[in-house]
Amino acid sequence: MITPGLFYLIGALLLLLPIREKMTYILAILMTTAALMMTFYLVPGDRVQLEFLNYTLTPVKVDRISKLTGLIFTFGGLGSVIYCFRICSRANLRLIFIFIGSALTVAFSGDLFTLYVFWELMTISSSFLIIMASDGTKKTGYYYFLIQVAGGLSALWGVFLQYAATGDLALKTIEAGIPFFMIAVAIKLAFVGFHTWLPLAYGKAPFYVAVVLSIYTTKVGVYVMSRLLPGIDILAYAGLFSALFGIGMALLQTQVRRFLSYSIIIQVGYMIIGISMGTVAGITGAMFHLVNHILYKTVLFMAVGVVVYTTGKDDFENLGIMGRKLPVTSIATLVAFLGIAGVPFFNGYMSKAIIKDAVNEPLLTWGLNLMSFGTCLLFLKFIYYAFLKKSTISLDKQPALSMQVGMGLLTVMMLVIGIHPVWLESVTNMDVAIHYFDKKHLVSGIQPFLWSIAIFILIKKYVVKNYEAPLPYDLYRQIAKQVVTTGYQLSNYHDGKLTKYLLWTTSTLIILLALLLF
């Protein structure tokens, strides 16, 4: 047995061969399909162990959660690779394969060493994807890389502390180094305060790169949180705060990809709350929401990518091209909108219903309803610009067939899960014993949506207002500027003059002596 991620990693190597463009597509389809099929037939309970430098490692471990995550990662990988066929260079396709393969390997890792190695390989491959896109994205790629490396170093320090305390590298609930793992996961989740890389990277990277990143980066953070940090009550309230922050920031955006980036923070809030419950129902609901979120958010990024591809821009004003010129994109967008809004019989409804059932705290229940209302209100703005507002935007070119096929594949899966949600349970044997379409859940699912329509009509002129993009305050950039300034000032003292060096040395010795004496 091997990890399905190996198919993607081997595929990346095969793409180095000097083969024709048509063969590149065939190879990509074969590898992505093979990974999906292998994941489907994995049996929970299977594992692979090996000895490495006197450590017992488990590079592959299968259970119901890892299989569920692997299935959506491989299915999303198939859809996104098809989407990228005609618009992505072979070099970038290789990096995409490495990135997806690394994410899949993390999902099936059974020890902290394997997780950390491929966690960092995700960072390296995705950073190069952004940096190599164009000269205009190099700074963005460097910024993204530095933030992700900071999270990786925090995770590494957590691994050291966990091993020192337990003598074990097994992937399980953490006993030591919890603050460091929390920082690492918070960066990957784009938790408020650690989120600055998300709208920057997704907003400036090529749209097909944003599609791929939206599937894996934050979702790997969710998966790792479910493994290492379940049941920490305070994180549920932190997740609620982060989601409400995402709603406020999304409202102010004029660029659609930044808007979608902040809405990721909202949806991740649901997952944080579910995992923080620490119950089977809460964690299962969070992981089902991870599946649903990957489907509808990826479709939305793909739809915006089609707008960018055909018009050259991704402002809200350009969305009007959907309703008039792009029928396939329009249908996919509407299905994704109803899914993210949690409307009954669409996929987001089932996972939100499970999470709401798992939460017993009144404040969190109120917060979940507010998050649902805010999400619906925000995306009514999206739908208004796409289908209701008059637009004079014209098509510069038609979308590639591969883009529509990739988007359509994920849209069909959304419809299947929405209409028959127990299918997702049967595939993974994760029974949550919930009646999805009883009166209680139907009312809970439709109320935020109906309220948001009424409120949107009342305050439409404020919601669709062209807000001036707020000047972002980035603490990390300010810290970097201070470090650079301080370093520059200190460098002025290193001028090669012996008397100054002797003064530095003498002063340091006096200070050390004083510390020793007192």
Side-chain angles (χ1 to χ4, degrees):
M1 183 178 67
I2 60 173
T3 175
L6 191 60
F7 284 101
Y8 280 91
L9 298 175
I10 293 173
L13 292 175
L14 293 177
L15 287 172
L16 290 169
L17 299 175
I19 56 178
R20 294 181 179 179
E21 186 177 32
K22 188 175 181 180
M23 287 301 299
T24 299
Y25 301 152
I26 294 173
L27 175 64
I29 289 293
L30 287 175
M31 286 300 178
T32 52
T33 305
L36 176 59
M37 292 178 64
M38 181 177 182
T39 304
F40 186 81
Y41 286 108
L42 288 175
V43 179
D46 287 350
R47 66 175 62 197
V48 173
Q49 287 189 325
L50 57 85
E51 298 296 322
F52 178 71
L53 299 177
N54 296 323
Y55 298 102
T56 300
L57 302 181
T58 310
V60 185
K61 181 181 178 182
V62 184
D63 60 18
R64 289 181 296 180
I65 291 179
S66 63
K67 182 173 180 177
L68 175 67
T69 307
L71 283 172
I72 190 57
F73 277 8
T74 50
F75 189 77
L78 176 62
S80 61
V81 168
I82 293 174
Y83 180 87
C84 293
F85 272 168
R86 295 288 182 181
I87 52 179
C88 177
S89 67
R90 187 180 295 185
N92 281 350
L93 189 59
R94 285 196 296 268
L95 288 170
I96 288 172
F97 266 58
I98 295 171
F99 179 64
I100 298 175
S102 301
L104 266 171
T105 306
V106 168
F108 286 103
S109 62
D111 64 80
L112 292 170
F113 176 82
T114 304
L115 183 146
Y116 176 75
V117 169
F118 287 93
W119 174 290
E120 291 296 80
L121 190 55
M122 283 181 66
T123 294
I124 294 169
S125 54
S126 55
S127 297
F128 273 104
L129 263 175
I130 300 171
I131 291 170
M132 291 173 59
S134 69
D135 290 338
T137 60
K138 285 184 178 180
K139 287 185 178 180
T140 299
Y142 295 148
Y143 182 88
Y144 170 89
F145 177 75
L146 290 174
I147 293 289
Q148 296 298 325
V149 165
L153 291 174
S154 185
L156 181 61
W157 191 244
V159 171
F160 288 155
L161 293 176
Q162 170 72 359
Y163 183 75
T166 65
D168 191 2
L169 286 174
L171 192 66
K172 60 183 181 181
T173 302
I174 291 302
E175 300 174 32
I178 292 176
F180 294 98
F181 284 109
M182 289 176 69
I183 292 173
V185 169
I187 290 175
K188 200 66 95 176
L189 288 174
F191 184 81
V192 59
F194 300 94
H195 69 283
T196 53
W197 62 268
L198 180 63
L200 184 65
Y202 290 15
K204 290 192 175 182
F207 63 86
Y208 63 86
V209 173
V211 166
V212 177
L213 293 179
S214 71
I215 298 176
Y216 300 100
T217 311
T218 54
K219 312 316 173 300
V220 164
V222 171
Y223 173 78
V224 172
M225 179 183 176
S226 73
R227 293 301 195 189
L228 305 183
L229 302 166
I232 302 177
D233 294 341
I234 190 64
L235 292 183
Y237 297 95
L240 172 59
F241 175 75
S242 185
L244 296 179
F245 169 83
I247 291 172
M249 291 301 296
L251 181 64
L252 300 176
Q253 302 308 309
T254 57
Q255 188 195 47
V256 185
R257 281 185 291 165
R258 284 181 176 268
F259 169 86
L260 292 177
S261 299
Y262 281 109
S263 74
I264 288 177
I265 298 174
I266 305 169
Q267 299 304 304
V268 167
Y270 283 99
M271 304 174 215
I272 294 173
I273 292 171
I275 293 169
S276 299
M277 294 297 100
T279 60
V280 173
I283 294 175
T284 302
M287 300 314 292
F288 280 165
H289 199 62
L290 178 146
V291 171
N292 291 324
H293 179 253
I294 285 176
L295 290 171
Y296 55 61
K297 189 52 63 69
T298 304
V299 167
L300 288 168
F301 268 105
M302 286 178 169
V304 172
V306 171
V307 172
V308 175
Y309 182 80
T310 55
T311 69
K313 297 179 181 179
D314 70 342
D315 295 331
F316 272 98
E317 296 288 346
N318 291 69
L319 292 179
I321 201 69
M322 284 187 187
R324 298 185 297 110
K325 302 283 187 178
L326 303 169
V328 174
T329 305
S330 298
I331 293 170
T333 298
L334 287 172
V335 173
F337 160 65
L338 294 170
I340 198 171
V343 175
F345 305 103
F346 291 88
N347 67 323
Y349 164 76
M350 62 92 68
S351 51
K352 289 183 180 182
I354 299 171
I355 294 172
K356 287 179 181 179
D357 259 16
V359 172
N360 297 316
E361 172 60 41
L363 179 59
L364 291 176
T365 300
W366 175 85
L368 286 170
N369 289 326
L370 183 59
M371 288 160 59
S372 296
F373 168 78
T375 300
C376 294
L377 189 65
L378 287 171
F379 278 91
L380 282 171
K381 173 182 177 179
F382 186 100
I383 293 300
Y384 173 79
Y385 273 101
F387 300 103
L388 301 177
K389 192 174 187 296
K390 292 182 179 180
S391 174
T392 58
I393 302 297
S394 59
L395 286 179
D396 292 337
K397 54 185 173 180
Q398 290 294 325
L401 177 62
S402 59
M403 298 173 76
Q404 298 181 70
V405 171
M407 186 164 46
L409 188 66
L410 301 187
T411 303
V412 170
M413 183 57 68
M414 281 193 290
L415 290 170
V416 169
I417 294 174
I419 296 169
H420 191 58
V422 293
W423 175 80
L424 196 57
E425 296 182 21
S426 63
V427 168
T428 55
N429 294 317
M430 298 173 71
D431 184 8
V432 293
I434 182 174
H435 300 288
Y436 292 106
F437 302 119
D438 61 13
K439 181 179 178 180
K440 170 190 171 184
H441 294 108
L442 286 172
V443 171
S444 177
I446 199 66
Q447 272 187 336
F449 180 66
L450 294 178
W451 274 111
S452 67
I453 293 175
I455 297 300
F456 181 83
I457 292 172
L458 291 174
I459 63 171
K460 186 186 73 173
K461 65 178 181 179
Y462 301 106
V463 177
V464 301
K465 175 182 176 181
N466 288 327
Y467 293 94
E468 292 184 9
L471 292 175
Y473 177 78
D474 191 336
L475 175 64
Y476 308 111
R477 289 186 186 274
Q478 298 302 321
I479 293 173
K481 287 180 180 178
Q482 291 301 319
V483 170
V484 170
T485 301
T486 303
Y488 179 76
Q489 294 297 330
L490 289 174
S491 68
N492 291 333
Y493 291 97
H494 294 269
D495 54 8
K497 294 181 179 179
L498 181 60
T499 53
K500 190 175 290 186
Y501 286 171
L502 289 174
L503 179 61
W504 274 101
T505 305
T506 305
S507 300
T508 303
L509 289 174
I510 292 172
I511 292 171
L512 291 174
L513 181 62
L515 291 174
L516 289 173
L517 292 176
F518 300 102

